[in-house]
Structures are given as structure tokens and as C-alpha cells.
Amino acid sequence: MQQPSPYITLSNEVQTALHALQPVVALESTVIAHGLPYPANIEVAQAMESTIRAEGAIPATIGIHDGQIKIGLTLDEITRLGTAQNVQKVSRRDLAITLATKQLGATTVAGTMLCASMAGIRFFATGGIGGVHRGAESTMDISADLTELSRSPLLVVCAGAKSILDLDLTLEYLETQGVPVIGWQSDDFPAFYVRHSGRPLAHRADYVDTIAAIARVQWECNLHGLIVGCPIPQQYAMDPAPLEAATEEALRLARAQGIRGAATTPFLLAHVAKVTAGESVESNKALLINNALWAARFARAYY
Ligand code: PSU
Ligand code: MN
């Protein structure tokens, strides 16, 4: 295990598992604080953890409290992040500031990858990664999740990315950054609520051992992050047409209200969730739990 930073506090369980080279799966906290409404956020955070345990791996939800990166948050800490109003959204650029000023922080995919890599964790389950926003040709709004993937050596299991983003540009950018994107039993990149985006991927895998072997070679070659895109389970998939309408409306509103920077993703997510009512929340929960399941299986195959 790497020498832990003075800014990291591991739970006893995570520390023991890392020492024993047992499979550990990192989980982010921005989805808890800014991605899903209460109490669905806490319910799904717990369900992801119990799914990972049932697969024989150890969950490590990551967040920032009292000037420390906490790896393996307790239910109390998760509940605090899921209910407090003043939670910072922590990507790479925000980490030192949130620690130094002792604010409460929820880590994005980029923030979680950075913290997990400091602790030697290699597997991570999330819902959707950030990406290149529609209109990025002029706004330059490209999530730091994409550059983090080219820096931190984690395997990130996601259901693709939401169509609030430009999925073509997102895949182009990942290619430029040298990030492998593997379709899990799928030929194309999943689109979060929708199983297939229609954007073909260069690589597909059908067996957990294939994923474990790819991850091993990736890291033995000193390469960094990789993405495994798992389509949402069929019974929870949504009809793309109303989603596209809700997304276009959200984008119009964001422009009209001058929403920019880090506020953009939470604004778009909240608007789409409101318009599509409860259905999108149920689908979101289902895909998060599915990703936790596969991340735990990939981690077990690797270890
Ligand atoms: N996409 C989702 N739900 C989320 C996020 C993205 O469907 O909760 C969160 C993740 O934490 C992701 C972050 O890392 O938003 C990306 O934000 P930004 O675009 O500001 O980098
Ligand atoms: Mn952005």
C-alpha cells in the first residue's frame, strides 16, 4: 500500500482490506450531495455498499469532513453529506481549498479518483461520468473527470454519460487523452438512462476475467484510468424522446439564467429529474446499484 497522506483518514475496514490486498470499490459523494434528491440519495448509497459487500468486496465511499479526506464514510457521515445545504462540490481543483478551509465536501468522479488513487484503491463505481458539454466549442466546458481519467490509475464503472452532454465530443476527448473505453457486453457507449447511444466503441468485453486482465496490463504499463461502460438494466431503461425534450429545455433554461461552470451539471441534472419525475430517480438508482455490482466483480477478478 502507498504511504497514506496526512490528509487521508481510512476507516478501519478499508485500511484492513487494502493491507490484505482484498478488493475495495470506491464510491463518489457528489451524486449523494448534488446528484440525487433526499432520501433517494441515502437509500442508493447504502444499497450500493450492501451490493458490493454481497459480492465479497469492501465499499469505500469518499467525502471530505473537517479537513480530512474520509475513505469509508459511516452512514452518519453519508447522511450529513446527503442533507446539508453547504456541501462543496470537490473536483481536482477544489481539493486543497476544501481541506485547508475545513469545509464539508462531496467528491466528483475526478475528486474521488484523485483521493482513491492516493490511498491505492483501483476500482470505482459511479452513475455517469462528466464529459464535454454541448456547445463546448465556445464555452470550453469540459469536465475535469476526463482529464483525471488520464492521470489516476482507476477502473471506473459507469453507465456511460447523460445526454445533457455531447457524447460524440466526450468520446473524442477521451481518445485524445488516451483513456480506454470498454463496452461491457455492449458494442456502443451506453447513454445513462438509455442502454445504447449508437456511438460505437473500439473495444468490448464480455467476461469479468477479460476486464481484470486489461486492467492489470494497463497498470503494469504505467497507464492510468479506464472506463467500463455498463448499460442500464433493460427493465429500468427509459424512452429517449422525453429525455431529449427535457434536456433541451434544461439547456435553454441554463443559458437564460446564466448558469455556468461547476453549477451547470447539478442544474441540468435537477431540471431533467424534475421534468421526468420519479421515473428518472428509480432508473438512476437501478443503474448505480448495477454498476456497484459489476465493479465489485471486476475487483474480485483482479485481486
Ligand atoms: N452525471 C450524473 N450524475 C452526477 C454527476 C454526473 O448523471 O451526479 C456528477 C458526478 O459527480 C460527476 C460530476 O463527476 O457530476 C461532473 O461535474 P462537472 O461536469 O462539473 O465536472
Ligand atoms: Mn464543467
Side-chain angles (χ1 to χ4, degrees):
M1 209 185 106
Q2 284 163 257
Q3 192 60 37
S5 146
Y7 296 103
I8 289 185
T9 305
L10 300 171
S11 70
N12 287 336
E13 187 188 31
V14 170
Q15 182 158 33
T16 307
L18 287 172
H19 266 289
L21 296 180
Q22 284 168 351
V24 175
V25 177
L27 299 168
E28 62 151 310
S29 45
T30 292
V31 65
I32 301 172
H34 306 110
L36 282 169
Y38 177 84
N41 56 356
I42 312 296
E43 286 162 15
V44 75
Q46 284 185 278
M48 290 175 83
E49 291 205 352
S50 46
T51 301
I52 290 166
R53 286 185 203 288
E55 291 297 322
I58 301 298
T61 305
I62 298 179
I64 297 173
H65 282 245
D66 308 324
Q68 285 285 305
I69 299 165
K70 298 270 176 77
I71 302 191
L73 293 177
T74 63
L75 178 57
D76 272 357
E77 290 167 328
I78 288 174
T79 306
R80 197 166 152 216
L81 284 174
T83 51
Q85 295 304 309
N86 55 339
V87 184
Q88 299 300 304
K89 177 177 161 188
V90 182
S91 188
R92 172 178 276 263
R93 66 151 194 200
D94 312 291
L95 182 68
I97 298 162
T98 308
L99 289 171
T101 57
K102 299 195 165 42
Q103 297 177 85
L104 196 56
T107 49
T108 64
V109 169
T112 305
M113 289 184 76
L114 174 57
C115 296
S117 70
M118 288 164 80
I121 298 174
R122 297 290 191 154
F123 291 83
F124 173 14
T126 186
I129 54 166
V132 180
H133 281 262
R134 297 190 193 184
E137 311 86 288
S138 56
T139 63
M140 297 279 280
D141 192 348
I142 299 171
S143 175
D145 293 355
L146 304 185
T147 39
E148 197 59 41
L149 277 152
S150 71
R151 295 180 171 190
S152 289
L154 273 93
L155 183 143
V156 180
V157 180
C158 66
K162 282 202 175 126
S163 57
I164 57 172
L165 302 169
D166 187 318
L167 298 183
D168 292 306
L169 294 188
T170 299
L171 289 170
E172 289 295 345
Y173 196 82
L174 286 166
E175 182 184 346
T176 302
Q177 291 291 324
V179 178
V181 183
I182 303 160
W184 176 241
Q185 300 176 339
S186 174
D187 291 319
D188 68 350
F189 195 52
F192 203 83
Y193 296 123
V194 180
R195 283 176 63 80
H196 299 288
S197 67
R199 273 80 171 182
L201 293 174
H203 307 286
R204 157 188 180 128
D206 291 277
Y207 305 101
V208 290
D209 288 342
T210 312
I211 298 286
I214 293 168
R216 181 162 305 285
V217 176
Q218 171 88 351
W219 298 327
E220 280 175 353
C221 292
N222 267 320
L223 297 167
H224 300 106
L226 53 167
I227 295 174
V228 177
C230 289
I232 183 174
Q234 184 75 62
Q235 66 270 35
Y236 294 100
M238 290 172 65
D239 180 1
L243 280 172
E244 183 54 31
T247 300
E248 278 171 13
E249 188 178 281
L251 289 164
R252 265 198 307 278
L253 276 173
R255 263 195 305 275
Q257 296 181 26
I259 307 289
R260 309 185 63 163
T264 305
T265 296
F267 179 90
L268 298 175
L269 295 180
H271 188 78
V272 173
K274 195 170 90 191
V275 173
T276 56
E279 192 190 354
S280 70
V281 174
E282 282 316 300
S283 297
N284 208 334
K285 285 165 82 173
L287 67 86
L288 281 161
I289 293 165
N290 186 56
N291 294 342
L293 176 93
W294 287 111
R297 290 182 180 171
F298 300 146
R300 275 202 53 173
Y302 176 83
Y303 287 98

